[in-house]
Amino acid sequence: MTSYPTLLSPFTLGSVTIRNRTLMAAMSSGLSDPGGRVSEAQIAYYAERSRGGVGLIAVEFACIDSSYGVSEERQLVFDDDAAIPGHARLVAAIRAGGATPALQLQAPGQFAVPREGHVAVAPSNVLSRRDDSLRARALIGAEIVGLIASFREAARRALLAGYEAIELHGAHGYLLMAFLSPLTNQRDDEWGGDEERRLAFPIAVIRAIKDAIGDVPLLYRISADDFAPGGLGIEDMARITPRLVAAGLDGIDVSTGSLTGSLERTIDPMSKEGWRFEMTRRIRDAVDVPVAGIGSRTPETAESALLREDMDLVALGRPLLADAHWVAKAAQGRSADIRPCTSCNWCADRVFKHLPTGCAENPRTGRETVPLITENVGHGRRIVIIGGGPGGLAAAVQAESIGFTTTLFESENRLGGGIITSAAPPHKDNLLWYRDYLERRLAASEVDVRVGSRATLDDVLALDPFAVIQAQGTVPTAQAIPGDDLAHVVSAYDLLLDRGPTPESWRGPVVVYGGGETGCETAELIAARGLDVVLISRSDEYQLARAAEPLYRKVLLTRLRANPHVSIRTGTHVLSIDRTGVTLNEDAGTTHITAAMIVIAQGRRSDDTLAAELAEHGITSILIGDARQISRIGEAVHDANTAIRELVGSAADAPPA
């Protein structure tokens, strides 16, 4: 008997039966060719997830009429019959793995990528907030009728390619949602005005597609709440969604948020697992067709949501980037082996930059055409890894998996390094899921792990390694602030790593000096204990936490600015520190503020200790992660993968950690 009997049971959606209740949510992959055609990389990407056990795969949004623009530089385009053969190959690959193939259809509306000589379109004119220039023009009636036909034709092509279900993207502010929302549809004609007329375009699209596809299931993705004042909330959508269903839908796919103002509620960073489930249940109670809900990170959460009848299908997005075999591992009773999605949004950042999809933890995501190393190519050779942070742990697991005898040194008394410091601030403990996963992988391996042991040159030479991977992170740099050696001055890094004063001994008020991501997070951490914090940044206000992932940065700064225990002073320098506080230099002149603890959140550099000495002894040494360049967890893990490939001289990938 399976541990997740409901999640893994077959499910009938309209005329189609899928093998289990999981749906791969449509996500941008950035893998299509420059003309919007299906690429071999895309086929391999979806085939891997089909082999991984997903029930229904909703292939990412395909633009139904590119004459009005596309949402991304490498978005699929499905507006002529020449695209059908590529999609047919994709469908065949998905079916071969056992999943049911579906295609999501979309029109970008105002969110089309800017093109020279073209203006995006929308239900009503959209003006730039910056200079009142026209960002998108209102569609005329004939164009609206033409777009309805374009949706119908795209659905017809999808059937010819072999797709067994269609989904309409009616969420996140794209054209279908824009017509529905009173914020973006300010027309006063048959296509807009009151709610009845705002429904006209989505209903016409649904009816046109159902006319073309017959009993093939048609799903519709909604934003259950756009989190915009005057927009559409859950009460509105619980009322509106049954109208959409009555037009011919066979299922609803519940998401939230909009590209305008609330994208962090669509691709949410480090949030509580399952926070949308109550809204999903509201929609499910309002309609008589199956409902899919996003937000599960573990099979346990998914099974519970199904048993509570919050949803009928579990939509998995980013978890399938982290682990393509999420479903198969759940079915095999190996849920502890699922590489966890921590919602770090490394993947989203790539989409924003129009780069191919990827995952911080899984270097293989988006690179499925690269063959895997299957032989014990490292047999008879030893690798030494210095540093037990994310890069070092990933390197150790990968090296051991392809036969290397592997020794890992970590100077601290526990593993994790940068994962621990990143997970210490409020709302970021999801990152520890990845640390715990890597520790489980190490425990099941034969890696010689030496914690509390700072590797010396003699230690390394005694092991006579084939190569050394240096992942020891960063070391502090002197700030030369008079008084920075006083007892009540502490490094933010030490505080986050829990090797500074214990939280019980912290006393306020506190000054945190450094307005980067680390400084902002440290201020929030200290404030969470009820202490008053002054966050001081040498930079301007708009540069606070500037290196943070954009959606997380927005959420972090919103919390900080609303926190009654935090005050922020930008464009300010700490001139000196004394036993009672700090002396500052601001625009208004020099001032002194009282502080019982001063936290320095700046001044670290890459630690390349031993690199030169190892080179002198003829030992290959590769710097990865922060030891190479201060960056993020994803860069460290990807560096580890690259280092292993470099050491074995292969164009193939070691199995990802």
Side-chain angles (χ1 to χ4, degrees):
M1 180 178 175
T2 176
S3 300
Y4 314 105
T6 312
L7 177 69
L8 298 171
S9 62
F11 186 79
T12 299
L13 178 67
S15 61
V16 172
T17 298
I18 56 179
R19 59 182 169 182
N20 56 54
R21 292 189 182 225
T22 61
L23 158 67
M24 180 179 176
M27 297 176 288
S28 308
S29 76
L31 292 172
S32 67
D33 72 18
R37 297 290 189 255
V38 172
S39 70
E40 293 307 311
Q42 222 157 18
I43 291 172
Y45 164 78
Y46 284 108
E48 184 77 12
R49 276 127 194 104
S50 181
R51 288 193 296 271
V54 180
L56 176 66
I57 290 181
V59 171
E60 64 201 83
F61 60 179
C63 178
I64 53 94
D65 192 336
S66 60
S67 68
Y68 292 105
V70 293
S71 294
E72 294 171 2
E73 291 177 0
R74 295 212 172 202
Q75 181 183 6
L76 287 172
V77 173
F78 210 20
D79 59 5
D80 70 79
D81 287 359
I84 294 173
H87 281 270
R89 293 197 306 275
L90 175 55
V91 164
I94 291 172
R95 280 181 175 156
T100 300
L103 178 65
Q104 188 183 79
L105 302 178
Q106 177 256 18
Q110 73 176 73
F111 297 110
V113 175
R115 296 181 297 167
E116 187 70 30
H118 291 265
V119 178
V121 296
S124 306
N125 287 344
V126 179
L127 302 181
S128 170
R129 296 178 185 176
R130 184 177 304 170
D131 56 11
D132 283 339
S133 60
L134 188 66
R135 281 192 53 208
R137 65 171 178 82
L139 287 156
I140 63 173
E143 290 174 320
I144 295 170
V145 172
L147 281 163
I148 295 168
S150 293
F151 270 106
R152 185 185 191 283
E153 281 299 287
R156 177 189 64 81
R157 294 184 189 101
L159 262 61
L160 292 174
Y163 287 105
E164 297 178 52
I166 305 294
E167 179 171 89
L168 286 169
H169 199 330
H172 307 161
Y174 294 122
L175 192 62
L176 282 165
M177 179 177 171
F179 267 94
L180 198 56
S181 171
L183 283 179
T184 46
N185 185 347
Q186 297 167 4
R187 307 173 71 99
D188 186 14
D189 63 4
E190 61 185 305
W191 304 109
D194 54 23
E195 186 170 284
E196 187 73 21
R197 288 178 287 168
R198 293 198 307 273
L199 274 161
F201 179 66
I203 286 176
V205 170
I206 292 168
R207 287 174 174 166
I209 289 179
K210 282 305 285 185
D211 182 62
I213 66 176
D215 65 352
V216 171
L218 177 61
L219 294 89
Y220 195 103
R221 176 180 277 185
I222 65 166
S223 284
D225 193 326
D226 62 17
F227 296 98
L232 295 171
I234 183 60
E235 298 297 333
D236 301 301
M237 294 310 296
R239 180 183 67 253
I240 288 169
T241 306
R243 295 289 308 280
L244 300 175
V245 170
L249 297 179
D250 300 285
I252 297 293
D253 181 2
V254 177
S255 183
T256 54
S258 172
L259 275 70
T260 302
S262 60
L263 186 55
E264 75 280 1
R265 299 297 191 123
T266 299
I267 316 172
D268 44 309
M270 305 269 178
S271 57
K272 181 182 178 182
E273 189 180 13
W275 65 267
R276 296 179 182 86
F277 289 177
E278 184 176 341
M279 285 186 282
T280 305
R281 176 62 180 263
R282 285 290 308 279
I283 298 300
R284 186 180 185 275
D285 288 345
V287 299
D288 58 1
V289 294
V291 170
I294 201 79
S296 298
R297 289 291 177 266
T298 65
E300 291 79 8
T301 299
E303 180 75 10
S304 296
L306 292 170
L307 290 175
R308 286 194 308 269
E309 298 186 337
D310 291 338
M311 59 193 67
D312 302 287
L313 291 167
V314 172
L316 298 168
R318 288 171 290 176
L320 292 177
L321 301 183
D323 198 325
H325 293 258
W326 191 101
V327 180
K329 289 178 180 179
Q332 294 159 6
R334 298 170 51 219
S335 59
D337 293 336
I338 294 173
R339 189 181 301 102
C341 171
T342 63
S343 302
C344 73
N345 274 351
W346 199 84
C347 53
D349 196 42
R350 293 185 64 83
V351 171
F352 300 154
K353 295 172 180 174
H354 297 284
L355 296 172
T357 191
C359 174
E361 301 173 11
N362 186 358
R364 185 163 175 76
T365 296
R367 303 176 64 251
E368 287 80 9
T369 57
V370 177
L372 279 174
I373 300 170
T374 56
E375 303 85 8
N376 280 343
V377 293
H379 182 70
R381 294 183 286 182
R382 180 184 296 276
I383 281 182
V384 169
I385 296 166
I386 303 174
L393 295 176
V397 170
Q398 289 181 299
E400 195 265 350
S401 73
I402 56 175
F404 283 103
T405 300
T406 306
T407 300
L408 171 69
F409 289 92
E410 168 53 49
S411 60
E412 298 291 331
N413 289 319
R414 57 179 173 166
L415 298 171
I419 301 178
I420 296 172
T421 58
S422 295
H427 312 288
K428 293 189 71 182
D429 54 341
N430 288 13
L431 289 172
L432 293 177
W433 299 346
Y434 185 46
R435 190 273 313 269
D436 296 345
Y437 164 81
L438 289 173
E439 286 192 326
R440 289 194 296 271
R441 291 288 303 273
L442 274 182
S445 75
E446 296 182 2
V447 175
D448 174 17
V449 180
R450 304 183 185 184
V451 296
S453 179
R454 184 176 298 277
T456 66
L457 180 62
D458 288 342
D459 291 330
V460 175
L461 294 177
L463 292 169
D464 189 25
F466 164 70
V468 175
I469 294 176
Q470 294 188 248
Q472 61 266 37
T474 63
V475 290
T477 57
Q479 294 300 291
I481 302 171
D484 64 2
D485 57 346
L486 292 171
H488 63 307
V489 180
V490 62
S491 154
Y493 184 83
D494 288 344
L495 213 63
L496 295 172
L497 199 56
D498 198 22
R499 66 182 183 192
T502 62
E504 292 74 23
S505 68
W506 297 354
R507 296 292 179 268
V510 180
V511 163
V512 174
Y513 188 34
E517 183 176 4
T518 299
C520 291
E521 291 182 332
T522 304
E524 186 176 31
L525 174 65
I526 295 168
R529 296 193 65 83
L531 300 178
D532 290 332
V533 182
V534 180
L535 174 63
I536 296 172
S537 174
R538 294 176 296 183
S539 302
D540 295 329
E541 173 87 9
Y542 73 90
Q543 291 184 301
L544 287 171
R546 60 185 177 273
E549 184 274 314
L551 297 181
Y552 170 67
R553 178 177 185 261
K554 177 182 177 182
V555 172
L556 170 64
L557 295 183
T558 298
R559 290 198 306 259
L560 271 184
R561 289 166 179 148
N563 194 318
H565 291 291
V566 177
S567 61
I568 302 172
R569 299 169 83 147
T570 57
T572 302
H573 294 254
V574 172
L575 297 178
S576 63
I577 302 171
D578 59 37
R579 287 181 174 80
T580 63
V582 297
T583 299
L584 308 176
N585 183 28
E586 301 176 289
D587 290 341
T590 301
T591 186
H592 184 275
I593 62 173
T594 300
M597 184 167 75
I598 294 93
V599 180
I600 306 297
Q602 54 190 9
R604 299 193 70 82
R605 63 170 177 82
S606 296
D607 182 5
D608 59 358
T609 305
L610 293 183
E613 293 92 333
L614 291 170
E616 288 176 4
H617 285 80
I619 296 176
T620 298
S621 171
I622 300 176
L623 295 165
I624 70 170
D626 285 348
R628 179 182 66 83
Q629 179 179 332
I630 296 176
S631 53
R632 311 185 71 78
I633 290 172
E635 280 73 26
V637 174
H638 283 244
D639 278 358
N641 179 262
T642 301
I644 298 296
R645 294 171 62 205
E646 181 179 330
L647 290 175
V648 299
S650 172
D653 274 339

